[in-house]
Amino acid sequence: MLFTPTRLAVAVVAVISAGGAVAEETKATLFDDVVVSASRTGAQKAEKVPAAMAVVDAEQIENQQMTTISDLVRYEPGVDVSGSGRFGLQDFTIRGIGGNRVKIMVDGVDQSNGYDSGTEFMRAGRNFVDIDTLKQVEITKSPASTLYGSDAIGGVVAFTTKDPADYLEAGDDTALSLKAGYTGRDQSFAETVTLANRSGAWESLLLYTRRDGKETETQGSVGGIGDDRTEADPMDITSNNVLAKLIYAGSEAHRLGMVAEHYDSSTEGELLSLNDGEPGAPGVTYANQMADDSTTRTRIGVFHDWDANLAAFDTLKWTLDYQDSESDQVTSNWYSYYQTDRRMSRQYQETSWQFSLDLAKDLSLGSSHHVISYGLDVNREDLENLNVTSYASDKPTDVSRYAPKAQATTYGLYLQDEITLGALTLIPGLRYDNTEMKPNIDEYYHGGDEFKDHNSDKLTWRLGTLYQLTDTLTGFFNYAQGFRSPDLKEMYYAEDSGRGYALLANPDLEAEESDAFELGLRGTSDYGSAELVLFYNQYDNFIQQTADYSNPAYPYGQLQYNNVDEATIKGAEFKSQLWLDSLLGAPEGLSLNLSVAYAEGTNDTQDQPLNEVAPLNGVIGLSFDQADGIWGGTLNWTLVQGKDESDIAEATDGFGQPTESYATAGYGVVDVTGYYNVSEAFVIRGGVFNLLDKKYIQWSDVGGMEAGRTYMDRFSQPGLNVGISATYTF
């Protein structure tokens, strides 16, 4: 299956590289984006990175009407965002690896882990960022543990927020930007106000975004209550985000700054799909279910950049950040077991202090040139979850924890050398990581009386190579080891439900490890640019939840996380941008974008497919940008293959018995976006999404579910919808 498409991709790369070398004044290629996350210490073009990356810049965010983290990867095959319904978008999946295995950073600051209670009452995600604050998103698709340590075993998503300089041109001392937008899929309105100022050596930025919306629509047509409901449960959703920066550049050598960021969101709604009927009626378990959820993230940080030009380093950067992330999810309902109303509050919080130090040195030794990067990270986190259930009757309030309070301390040391030898570039790297988790058992935790502290450490290494085959063609190879320490939930989560199932703690879990290989071919010329990547990833000590049904006291199983799996994921990715004006003499500004991702994954221990791997998917895009940049637009056709039953792991019912798995159908979705610069100060942008009103369900939202459920349309994506925004800059 892979051979013929791969040969075709090689042919496209070859055709593009047959063109002349790209002139300095020509249009930007796919690999001209300047990235930082690939080396940590300095900016470099993506074409110099020996690994597959995806970059989304501020212009794409604006022109393509991106308002959520899912929108950021809408046209990036091989990267998905899962989540729907009450808890919304949760996290990223890259090449079949997701959740807490993908590191998410904002300005280099690690974001909190996801925390899933395993019930419909608590699911804390990792979606704590507002898109309007971002100037760039960099996605590393292979393990990046040698630079970023644990949690980067599945890749990295690095958000970079806007700076005052992004609004201030030369000679400007003040800029004011006003933006308003509407998104049809959730009937949301957004307003953003940005003020930037430059006074001598000082620069400042203040950005505020407010969003008010409803639930994200489905294409289900069944209303009412209960399992048969396929319309989305009604929700009122609001969010606020404030970003403030103050930067001082009193000399050419030093740049100091402070950053403060606060994000909060709230969701209030009726959980109609979880209601069975009226309180007390025969056969009714739940009634009058309501949700009142909130999430907050607050970050305060300082940084210092120093161009020192000393013997030990040329540049030095240190950052110190405090961050507090919290999810509070409250469910109110009537429950037949107690024959009364109850209020269930589920809270998860991570508070951290993070310090990083990055140094770099350029030097030449004989015929070789070296860019040496080294540094350290220290992260101390306090983790807490708390469950409080109160009742309308005289039943006492229940207070408990699914996992104990804990303190996690992680430190890492890294070293990397980018060695240039003519047409050959070698990038070896090393990193040592140590993670210690200290649980604090109190009267609210019932999973064990005492646990020893957990400690895991690992030395990982990588080797990246680039070779300039011709002026227009580059080959690259990358080998990288990955590493991830088990998280709080995996080690300590415990609950005896009293209703036939139990969850058991496992503090003896070992760290996950991986070996990843990438082989790529990258071409750029005056015809356009293209890249083909083959990858092969092996994972050991994979942590998965297993179920034991041998105890008759627990007919629904005793569940526990264990190091049980070895897994393999392999595949190919291709992307290209063809400048049709240069290639075919088409109107100036017309280009064709092609991208496709194929992967297959196997649980080698159980000889079963990995459900996390997405089906074959690709995007065909036709874009036009008027020569003077006054107007332009893009038509994108996203194609996704149906999930074959042979690629789905065997599903089981509540008693552990095999059952038929649900398989998603293939689909194609057409989107049209455009922009018009009314003046230098005023821009209008808009888009029509799912133009043909296609009903479809994404595999990432339903993978692993059994077939035969009547409510699958509840997971369908919105039908035809529009988005529009207007920005005025003073």
Side-chain angles (χ1 to χ4, degrees):
M1 179 178 181
L2 190 59
F3 183 62
T4 299
T6 300
R7 286 196 303 179
L8 179 61
V10 171
V12 173
V13 177
V15 168
I16 288 177
S17 62
V22 179
E24 291 293 329
E25 68 276 6
T26 195
K27 294 163 288 214
T29 74
L30 289 173
F31 315 112
D32 280 343
D33 291 300
V34 176
V35 298
V36 177
S37 61
S39 66
R40 287 191 51 153
T41 55
Q44 60 183 149
K45 285 189 175 182
E47 66 181 0
K48 300 298 183 182
V49 179
M53 292 191 69
V55 180
V56 183
D57 60 28
E59 184 177 13
Q60 291 172 283
I61 291 173
E62 296 288 354
N63 290 343
Q64 295 180 7
Q65 294 291 292
M66 297 179 177
T67 60
T68 68
I69 59 173
S70 180
D71 294 339
L72 294 173
V73 297
R74 182 194 293 146
Y75 307 123
E76 184 58 41
V79 185
D80 303 291
V81 171
S82 61
S84 61
R86 169 185 179 178
F87 302 113
L89 301 173
Q90 294 287 296
D91 47 40
F92 291 86
T93 298
I94 303 174
R95 294 176 175 172
I97 300 296
N100 294 337
R101 296 182 175 101
V102 173
K103 182 178 285 288
I104 301 177
M105 303 183 297
V106 176
D107 295 334
V109 179
D110 292 355
Q111 299 305 286
S112 63
N113 278 339
Y115 179 82
D116 184 353
S117 71
T119 71
E120 67 270 31
F121 305 127
M122 175 67 183
R123 196 167 302 145
R126 311 177 72 194
N127 184 13
F128 287 87
V129 65
D130 190 280
I131 303 303
D132 274 2
T133 66
L134 304 179
K135 69 174 175 182
Q136 186 154 294
V137 182
E138 301 172 19
I139 301 174
T140 302
K141 295 186 175 183
S142 58
S145 294
T146 53
L147 281 178
Y148 295 104
S150 182
D151 302 341
I153 193 171
V156 173
V157 177
F159 297 121
T160 303
T161 60
K162 295 174 180 176
D163 288 316
D166 298 317
Y167 292 89
L168 299 170
E169 298 181 0
D172 289 346
D173 56 9
T174 301
L176 174 65
S177 174
L178 304 176
K179 176 185 175 182
Y182 171 78
T183 303
R185 66 189 170 211
D186 58 1
Q187 303 174 59
S188 64
F189 292 88
E191 305 82 34
T192 298
V193 179
T194 307
L195 178 64
N197 178 263
R198 181 185 292 123
S199 299
W202 293 90
E203 291 184 353
S204 60
L205 173 76
L206 182 63
L207 185 154
Y208 171 71
T209 300
R210 167 79 178 193
R211 299 184 189 272
D212 296 271
K214 301 290 186 179
E215 70 280 357
T216 298
E217 296 177 355
T218 71
Q219 293 197 69
S221 58
V222 179
I225 63 172
D227 272 354
D228 291 334
R229 180 183 176 89
T230 58
E231 294 180 353
D233 288 335
M235 301 283 172
D236 289 311
I237 304 170
T238 63
S239 69
N240 299 278
N241 195 93
V242 178
L243 173 68
K245 291 187 177 182
L246 181 63
I247 299 171
Y248 176 73
S251 68
E252 294 184 1
H254 293 275
R255 183 171 178 265
L256 298 95
M258 297 180 62
V259 58
E261 186 179 15
H262 176 79
Y263 171 87
D264 65 70
S265 68
S266 64
T267 301
E268 296 181 359
E270 299 179 76
L271 304 177
L272 300 180
S273 60
L274 300 179
N275 287 338
D276 300 324
E278 293 298 320
V284 173
T285 302
Y286 297 113
N288 299 336
Q289 298 224 67
M290 305 289 290
D292 185 0
D293 305 336
S294 63
T295 60
T296 60
R297 179 175 69 90
T298 300
R299 171 172 68 109
I300 300 173
V302 294
F303 65 86
H304 176 205
D305 297 338
W306 180 21
D307 291 332
N309 295 315
L310 301 177
F313 55 87
D314 293 328
T315 62
L316 178 151
K317 178 178 181 178
W318 63 264
T319 62
L320 176 64
D321 291 271
Y322 166 83
Q323 182 171 260
D324 179 51
S325 302
E326 182 173 353
S327 295
D328 292 285
Q329 296 167 348
V330 177
T331 305
S332 301
N333 63 18
W334 179 89
Y335 184 33
S336 63
Y337 189 81
Y338 299 116
Q339 290 292 305
T340 189
D341 292 327
R342 61 178 180 173
R343 181 184 185 274
M344 296 177 291
S345 172
R346 304 291 183 261
Q347 175 257 357
Y348 179 71
Q349 183 177 16
E350 288 191 13
T351 304
S352 67
W353 285 94
Q354 301 182 37
F355 175 79
S356 68
L357 175 66
D358 300 296
L359 307 101
K361 180 66 180 179
D362 276 27
L363 56 89
S364 295
L365 298 174
S367 60
S368 65
H369 180 75
H370 299 253
V371 180
I372 301 173
S373 307
Y374 59 103
L376 64 90
D377 297 303
V378 180
N379 186 351
R380 197 197 74 178
E381 296 177 303
D382 291 307
L383 315 173
E384 181 175 0
N385 71 105
L386 188 67
N387 312 316
V388 180
T389 303
S390 56
Y391 304 87
S393 66
D394 57 1
K395 178 176 170 56
T397 297
D398 295 328
V399 181
S400 66
R401 304 186 194 278
Y402 288 133
K405 296 171 63 176
Q407 185 175 92
T409 302
T410 300
Y411 67 86
L413 304 167
Y414 76 92
L415 172 65
Q416 178 175 282
D417 187 8
E418 181 177 326
I419 308 167
T420 303
L421 299 163
L424 175 66
T425 300
L426 301 173
I427 309 177
L430 283 170
R431 180 175 172 118
Y432 173 76
D433 280 280
N434 186 290
T435 298
E436 184 179 40
M437 181 85 75
K438 295 183 176 182
N440 180 12
I441 309 296
D442 61 16
E443 68 274 20
Y444 300 131
Y445 177 68
H446 308 297
D449 295 329
E450 185 176 351
F451 292 125
K452 64 181 181 181
D453 295 346
H454 171 85
N455 186 273
S456 55
D457 66 337
K458 179 69 175 178
L459 179 67
T460 56
W461 68 279
R462 68 167 291 215
L463 177 63
T465 63
L466 290 120
Y467 189 77
Q468 192 76 35
L469 299 168
T470 69
D471 288 343
T472 58
L473 188 64
T474 302
F476 64 86
F477 170 78
N478 187 50
Y479 166 74
Q481 291 184 326
F483 160 77
R484 185 181 78 93
S485 298
D487 61 33
L488 178 74
K489 177 186 174 181
E490 292 165 340
M491 287 190 290
Y492 303 117
Y493 189 102
E495 179 194 15
D496 191 327
S497 68
R499 298 184 298 278
Y501 72 90
L503 297 100
L504 308 178
N506 186 0
D508 297 322
L509 285 172
E510 298 179 7
E512 296 178 331
E513 299 178 1
S514 70
D515 295 279
F517 304 84
E518 277 186 308
L519 181 65
L521 194 62
R522 190 176 288 155
T524 59
S525 75
D526 52 10
Y527 292 160
S529 51
E531 178 183 76
L532 171 65
V533 178
L534 307 178
F535 62 89
Y536 183 90
N537 301 341
Q538 290 183 311
Y539 301 88
D540 295 317
N541 289 332
F542 224 49
I543 299 172
Q544 295 281 9
Q545 191 176 66
T546 60
D548 179 7
Y549 297 94
S550 62
N551 189 338
Y554 298 96
Y556 299 110
Q558 291 177 293
L559 308 176
Q560 186 180 53
Y561 286 94
N562 287 286
N563 294 105
V564 295
D565 293 338
E566 296 181 357
T568 301
I569 300 177
K570 57 186 177 181
E573 295 170 347
F574 172 74
K575 63 180 178 181
S576 67
Q577 181 185 49
L578 303 175
W579 296 329
L580 299 182
D581 46 5
S582 301
L583 186 63
L584 302 176
E588 184 179 358
L590 190 65
S591 63
L592 179 67
N593 294 278
L594 303 170
S595 57
V596 64
Y598 168 77
E600 58 183 56
T602 305
N603 180 324
D604 298 322
T605 302
Q606 301 176 0
D607 194 25
Q608 289 275 329
L610 284 177
N611 282 340
E612 292 82 357
V613 175
L616 175 69
N617 60 103
V619 179
I620 302 172
L622 186 66
S623 298
F624 178 77
D625 294 285
Q626 193 259 352
D628 294 331
I630 295 176
W631 66 276
T634 299
L635 184 149
N636 280 310
W637 185 21
T638 301
L639 297 166
V640 179
Q641 187 180 60
K643 190 70 172 178
D644 193 276
E645 291 185 5
S646 63
D647 292 330
I648 305 175
E650 185 178 77
T652 58
D653 61 19
F655 298 95
Q657 299 303 309
T659 186
E660 184 181 356
S661 299
Y662 179 80
T664 51
Y667 57 86
V669 178
V670 177
D671 301 329
V672 180
T673 57
Y675 65 90
Y676 178 64
N677 288 280
V678 180
S679 67
E680 289 187 5
F682 186 39
V683 186
I684 297 175
R685 301 176 174 92
V688 181
F689 303 95
N690 197 358
L691 179 65
L692 304 181
D693 202 30
K694 178 71 175 179
K695 179 187 285 189
Y696 66 101
I697 296 174
Q698 295 178 335
W699 173 251
S700 59
D701 289 332
V702 298
M705 295 177 63
E706 66 268 23
R709 300 190 182 190
T710 60
Y711 54 80
M712 295 309 294
D713 281 354
R714 192 187 304 165
F715 299 98
S716 60
Q717 294 297 304
L720 173 69
N721 66 96
V722 301
I724 189 170
S725 68
T727 304
Y728 195 93
T729 304
F730 296 88

